[in-house]
Amino acid sequence: MEIRDHELWKLLEQKSEGEKAAEQAFEEAVWQICGYGITLSKTIRDTFQTYTLHDETHICNVMTIMLKLLGNLKDCLTKEECAMLIMSACCHDIGMSASEEEKEYLRSCPDCMQEYLDKHPGDYTIAYQGGADENAQITEEILRHYIRVNHHSRVSEQLQNIQWPAALGHSMNIEELIAVCQSHGEDPSDIRRLQRFAPNLDLYLCAVLLRLGDILDFDATRAPDELYRYINLARLDGMENKISRLEWDKHQASRGFTFVQDEQCTLLYRAECSSIQVERAIVDYLDWVDKELTACGKLIRYMESRWRSLMLPGRVEKQITARGYLSGEYTLTLDQDRVLDLLVGRELYSDPAVFVRELIQNAIDAVRTRRQMDKNLPRNWKPQINIRTWVDDEGYYWFRIEDNGIGMTEETIQKYFLKIGHSYYNSDQFRADKIRCGADSEYKPISRFGIGLLSCFMGDPKNNQVEVTTKHFMENGVRHPAYRLSIKGINGYYYLANDTEQRTTAMEMPDCPKKGERFISAPGTVIAVRSNPYQSGGAQSFKDIIDRYVLYPEIPVHYEGIEGVCDYRTEQEFMDAVHEITPYCADGDYQPVQRIYMPEKDLQQFQQRYPEVVWEEKPRLAVYCLPVD
């Protein structure tokens, strides 16, 4: 179907009846914009050869769904609204079109893509393999990722290339078309920011219809078998092509949506799937559609009064037929409570005090990493870890560790600290941060597994408690707030506050140096754990546990507790002491520091094995001390 054969175009013609010359000029102006959008949409496959169709088929499908969403209210559309819906359907995806000149410009001007790279650490790491001081190397894959993610905002670049027809000048402007097109790729709440200038043009309505029309175009018409075979997608390797294959499989299995005209405004969806993987991918997509329908339904209240009776579908009724397999939840599942109980229970770890090792290890990593990444370290900054233990008024034992390392942002807390097994130091984000901060490419932290928080509950999952305050160091001139996190038990939700919004109302930290202290003031992290050390493998105190794990650390560790005060000798201090007791000769040889007579038992065994050896005097063992640095 061509655009001018579509019912929505016929509706535009009907609404345009009047002065023939003026209305014909208006329709021609609309067609001028549409023709431009259709032409660019056809070139999307030049860059995205394995994507489902974004051509005139998709455009007509979107327009059809717009009218179905309106139902009997379609006659309430004004001429201007018909025009906006048609033009936005034709132009909303043109940001995915990119000429060779545009691509070359993006490759040669990586600064244009810097914001995207900063938000996508995987691509950032690839682009800056040579270091942050070098120009970003924009690969074809990164270029496609950038265009796809930003295609809605790129509509502005594409539409600014055209001359806005004078016949449309009094009814609408190009900025309004751009805003509607861009809104389909933004958060639904952003639609409320649209500005309406003309009384006959409800931009809220147009944006909602475009968004849902685009989302609900989900059937086999966008994934023809002939094209699938032509591009030979089934044989192409790589993650991008794997994702594309799944998209094609989803569309080919889909029979589309049916709008049922009943009181509930039911939206019926049908599909025939040949694999459970495709079925689950479709179900995930439909779950997202449900959320979009709910979000868009809330926007009706902001539309003009003539649209207040518009009823959008509330949810999707799914009818998915399985061909050749049993449909169901046949997958490995986790009982979260039971798994957490298992991980923190005695069945898996014999030593509940392993959290002491984990927290000390994490603190050392945080300080070492800051020394690598913070290029604005104060001159008087010295790496330091402080540990304090005490018994509170209720008889609970506390272990508190404080470091002046990199600290955490809210994102780090959510994505890594609270996500078991997801280590920041093993992430694309950390690799990108290393490059961005000019850290040593070979630098690797000690921590690998991301179980630091979980280990704090291994002794007693119900009664143990973790209190945290943290502040990320100032990176690239950006100051970060301090955060206060309280975790009582391994289940449920946790308390989080920051010193920007809850400076005086947040919970206090245990054992504060200053009364009423809630947040750490300098970059670093403080973690206080309520636990029982006497459950810990026969250890008599936290000091015994610390002695077991802290052996000549790279970072100075200071301890204060019931057992007294202790400063653990660092690795450098140990090596200095080794050099002091090691006699060293000018010729580069070392002298023995001690000679010990061979034990009688060892001497007898030696003589039995080598009877031909005769000793003039009892042999001695020469002990050398060789500094390994």
Side-chain angles (χ1 to χ4, degrees):
M1 178 188 293
E2 291 186 359
I3 301 298
R4 286 186 285 193
D5 293 328
H6 195 277
E7 181 183 357
L8 185 54
W9 186 275
K10 300 299 182 184
L11 190 59
L12 171 65
E13 293 177 338
Q14 176 185 331
K15 299 288 181 178
S16 300
E17 292 179 355
E19 295 184 17
K20 198 65 178 175
E23 300 308 334
Q24 184 175 358
F26 183 86
E27 292 173 21
E28 287 300 320
V30 173
W31 177 243
Q32 179 183 336
I33 302 299
C34 291
Y36 178 78
I38 293 169
T39 300
L40 285 187
S41 296
K42 291 178 179 178
T43 68
I44 292 174
R45 287 203 66 249
D46 294 344
T47 302
F48 301 95
Q49 298 178 2
T50 62
Y51 276 37
T52 53
L53 296 180
H54 289 76
D55 59 4
E56 201 164 357
T57 298
H58 173 53
I59 293 170
C60 287
N61 289 348
V62 170
M63 292 166 58
T64 298
I65 296 169
M66 288 174 170
L67 291 179
K68 288 182 177 180
L69 288 166
L70 286 171
N72 295 331
L73 292 177
K74 64 185 178 183
D75 292 331
C76 296
L77 288 171
T78 65
K79 174 185 68 174
E80 291 77 13
E81 287 165 343
C82 289
M84 179 60 74
L85 291 176
I86 295 172
M87 291 189 296
S88 64
C90 291
C91 296
H92 71 284
D93 278 335
I94 61 176
M96 292 181 68
S97 172
S99 65
E100 289 304 316
E101 290 77 12
E102 288 178 279
K103 295 178 187 177
E104 184 57 37
Y105 172 74
L106 290 172
R107 292 190 199 97
S108 61
C109 183
D111 289 345
C112 303
M113 302 178 62
Q114 195 58 51
E115 182 178 355
Y116 165 81
L117 292 173
D118 288 338
K119 293 180 180 178
H120 296 80
D123 283 344
Y124 184 99
T125 304
I126 296 172
Y128 285 102
Q129 291 184 57
D133 294 334
E134 303 293 329
N135 288 330
Q137 300 301 310
I138 307 301
T139 66
E140 289 299 315
E141 186 172 1
I142 292 176
L143 196 60
R144 288 194 296 272
H145 292 172
Y146 168 80
I147 293 172
R148 177 180 58 79
V149 169
N150 294 284
H151 80 277
H152 62 286
S153 60
R154 280 173 42 83
V155 169
S156 175
E157 301 173 25
Q158 302 291 19
L159 285 178
Q160 294 293 357
N161 294 329
I162 66 172
Q163 182 69 37
W164 189 250
L168 300 178
H170 299 292
S171 303
M172 63 195 74
N173 57 52
I174 192 169
E175 286 77 18
E176 291 173 325
L177 175 58
I178 290 172
V180 171
C181 289
Q182 288 181 333
S183 68
H184 90 279
E186 299 172 340
D187 190 88
S189 60
D190 292 334
I191 292 177
R192 288 189 57 190
R193 296 203 299 263
L194 295 178
Q195 298 294 318
R196 293 176 295 173
F197 300 104
N200 295 327
L201 178 57
D202 192 327
L203 294 184
Y204 291 160
L205 172 76
C206 296
V208 166
L209 293 180
L210 174 65
R211 186 183 192 88
L212 293 180
D214 185 48
I215 292 171
L216 297 178
D217 182 19
F218 184 49
D219 60 26
T221 60
R222 295 185 63 186
D225 286 330
E226 298 81 2
L227 183 57
Y228 184 87
R229 290 192 294 270
Y230 175 76
I231 62 180
N232 204 15
L233 186 57
R235 294 180 176 273
L236 297 179
D237 297 325
M239 182 55 66
E240 269 191 306
N241 294 323
K242 181 179 179 180
I243 295 172
S244 289
R245 276 198 298 274
L246 183 58
E247 285 300 311
W248 279 76
D249 291 342
K250 284 161 53 180
H251 279 79
Q252 290 184 328
S254 176
R255 301 296 175 263
F257 294 93
T258 301
F259 291 77
V260 181
Q261 300 300 322
D262 55 13
E263 293 182 0
Q264 290 76 34
C265 195
T266 303
L267 185 60
L268 179 63
Y269 173 83
R270 293 185 177 90
E272 293 184 8
C273 300
S274 57
S275 79
I276 187 64
Q277 288 78 16
V278 173
E279 178 186 334
R280 295 313 306 175
I282 288 176
V283 170
D284 289 342
Y285 184 81
L286 296 179
D287 289 343
W288 175 64
V289 171
D290 281 340
K291 294 178 181 178
E292 287 288 325
L293 288 170
T294 300
C296 288
K298 294 177 180 178
L299 294 171
I300 294 177
R301 73 185 77 169
Y302 303 106
M303 297 178 187
E304 293 181 2
S305 57
R306 56 197 167 98
W307 300 116
R308 297 295 168 81
S309 61
L310 176 64
M311 177 181 279
L312 296 176
R315 57 181 295 276
V316 178
E317 182 179 320
K318 309 175 187 68
Q319 292 185 4
I320 301 179
T321 303
R323 300 295 186 190
Y325 68 95
L326 289 175
S327 176
E329 300 287 339
Y330 303 117
T331 182
L332 288 174
T333 58
L334 297 177
D335 181 332
Q336 180 174 323
D337 291 343
R338 178 66 187 111
V339 169
L340 288 175
D341 287 342
L342 174 64
L343 289 175
V344 300
R346 296 178 180 274
E347 298 94 334
L348 192 59
Y349 292 94
S350 60
D351 184 2
V354 70
F355 80 88
V356 175
R357 180 198 67 196
E358 287 292 316
L359 295 186
I360 293 173
Q361 184 171 282
N362 289 348
I364 291 174
D365 273 339
V367 176
R368 293 175 64 235
T369 302
R370 185 178 179 193
R371 189 159 51 188
Q372 280 281 334
M373 298 174 64
D374 189 352
K375 301 307 178 184
N376 297 307
L377 273 175
R379 291 185 177 181
N380 60 349
W381 182 86
K382 293 181 180 180
Q384 183 65 47
I385 294 172
N386 295 317
I387 298 175
R388 172 162 158 67
T389 62
W390 72 95
V391 180
D392 65 18
D393 295 338
E394 298 180 45
Y396 288 111
Y397 289 83
W398 285 86
F399 174 92
R400 172 178 165 130
I401 183 167
E402 176 180 346
D403 67 66
N404 57 353
I406 58 173
M408 292 184 286
T409 63
E410 183 177 0
E411 181 183 20
T412 308
I413 293 172
Q414 289 184 322
K415 292 178 63 176
Y416 303 105
F417 187 70
L418 294 178
K419 200 165 187 178
I420 306 305
H422 198 190
S423 171
Y424 167 66
Y425 297 122
N426 279 335
S427 68
D428 284 337
Q429 183 65 59
F430 175 63
R431 286 185 278 273
D433 289 344
K434 276 205 308 180
I435 295 172
R436 187 180 295 111
C437 295
D440 182 358
S441 60
E442 300 299 320
Y443 168 69
K444 292 183 179 180
I446 307 169
S447 303
R448 312 303 295 169
F449 305 111
I451 63 167
L453 177 61
L454 186 64
S455 67
C456 296
F457 296 93
M458 288 178 181
D460 190 343
K462 295 182 179 179
N463 294 312
N464 281 14
Q465 181 175 324
V466 179
E467 305 293 338
V468 182
T469 178
T470 184
K471 181 181 178 67
H472 192 62
F473 71 92
M474 187 170 69
E475 186 178 353
N476 297 326
V478 178
R479 292 186 179 275
H480 297 275
Y483 290 93
R484 173 74 175 86
L485 178 67
S486 181
I487 304 170
K488 295 177 171 62
I490 60 174
N491 302 106
Y493 291 89
Y494 305 139
Y495 170 92
L496 183 68
N498 66 55
D499 66 350
T500 302
E501 301 175 44
Q502 296 89 22
R503 173 175 290 277
T504 60
T505 59
M507 297 171 58
E508 292 185 16
M509 276 292 290
D511 190 45
C512 305
K514 298 179 181 178
K515 185 65 177 176
E517 184 181 59
R518 295 171 171 83
F519 301 95
I520 193 172
S521 57
T525 299
V526 179
I527 300 179
V529 181
R530 189 176 77 178
S531 183
N532 185 355
Y534 295 102
Q535 297 175 333
S536 308
Q540 297 302 302
S541 67
F542 276 124
K543 179 66 166 55
D544 293 335
I545 303 167
I546 298 169
D547 289 345
R548 190 190 315 166
Y549 294 127
V550 179
L551 184 65
Y552 305 118
E554 180 180 344
I555 308 301
V557 175
H558 174 77
Y559 171 79
E560 291 184 24
I562 303 172
E563 302 84 357
V565 178
C566 174
D567 285 292
Y568 287 86
R569 181 170 287 187
T570 65
E571 176 184 319
Q572 186 59 52
E573 290 171 335
F574 171 71
M575 292 311 304
D576 290 343
V578 170
H579 281 288
E580 287 180 7
I581 66 171
T582 303
Y584 183 73
C585 300
D587 60 2
D589 195 11
Y590 287 93
Q591 296 297 318
V593 296
Q594 194 172 10
R595 289 178 172 84
I596 306 171
Y597 282 107
M598 183 180 290
E600 193 64 33
K601 182 180 178 181
D602 294 337
L603 182 58
Q604 290 176 3
Q605 290 179 349
F606 185 88
Q607 288 177 332
Q608 288 175 1
R609 186 168 184 180
Y610 303 100
E612 68 277 11
V613 177
V614 179
W615 304 99
E616 293 183 357
E617 59 181 79
K618 190 174 182 179
R620 290 181 292 175
L621 302 177
V623 180
Y624 293 81
C625 186
L626 303 178
V628 295
D629 60 348

